[in-house]
Amino acid sequence: MRPSPTPIATPVPPAAAEHLPPTCTACSRRATRPPSIPSCPSSRRWCAALTLERPARYPEEKNDKFAFSLRAPPSWPSTRSFASGNTFLRQYTSPAFGTDKAQTVHASLTLTVEPAEDLEAYYKATMDKAGDTVSVLTHAAWRGGYADVLHSETPVAVTRARRYYRVADGRGYTLACDARDDIYSRVWRWCDMIASTLKIGPEAKAP
């Protein structure tokens, strides 16, 4: 008796494959419902909630007095604001990126505007204020200014931060994104996306 041949799966033709419902990346099962709602019950809500981040659609804060505009997602609400003379500060708080002893852990984003004439002098003065507990891990050119990744360690916490520095029309702008070291990997992309929306000086005045 000859052994029966092993059946070979027939590949799906390309035209038909294009019309297959999407695969739930959490469980690798095909959707049987509309494309936006995968069939995997345990992850249906999670998969349906995934959307492409579009920083250009974030609500815009525009400040004519200090000549800037910035877009932040609704999940990063403004929690603190201060203005005095030629100085301005606005702080935002992230959604929870972790937990510690039944407490949620958040990142903070702070925009500071203050008088400055020269990028190099402004950068040096800002770094001098940071103190000896801060070390620079990376330093790179960014949109006519600089972007740094900083590390800070104290007896209380280990922090990693991204700093974006720019100067225009006699003002220095620092956007600081600070997070605990254990959540930094989940935060830094948000920081970059929000920073990409920062407009200063003539940019902020353009339509």
Side-chain angles (χ1 to χ4, degrees), residues 3-127:
S4 58
T6 302
I8 300 175
T10 303
V12 179
E18 292 177 359
H19 295 86
L20 286 175
T23 301
C24 173
T25 57
C27 62
S28 300
R29 289 170 57 180
R30 290 285 182 187
T32 57
R33 299 192 176 196
S36 61
I37 307 178
S39 61
C40 175
S42 63
S43 60
R44 187 180 304 149
R45 293 181 181 178
W46 181 82
C47 291
L50 292 178
T51 57
L52 183 65
E53 283 295 321
R54 301 182 187 276
R57 295 184 181 178
Y58 294 161
E60 181 182 42
E61 177 185 352
K62 194 165 186 176
N63 190 307
D64 294 330
K65 179 179 178 180
F66 291 95
F68 77 85
S69 67
L70 180 70
R71 294 180 181 272
S75 56
W76 290 64
S78 174
T79 52
R80 182 186 172 200
S81 183
F82 172 81
S84 177
N86 295 324
T87 302
F88 176 88
L89 181 147
R90 174 85 77 197
Q91 188 171 71
Y92 304 83
T93 299
S94 78
F97 281 100
T99 59
D100 183 14
K101 297 178 182 178
Q103 298 289 325
T104 54
V105 180
H106 302 258
S108 67
L109 182 77
T110 306
L111 174 65
T112 304
V113 185
E114 54 193 328
E117 294 296 336
D118 174 78
L119 175 63
E120 297 299 332
Y122 175 65
Y123 176 76
K124 183 179 183 305
T126 303
M127 292 304 298

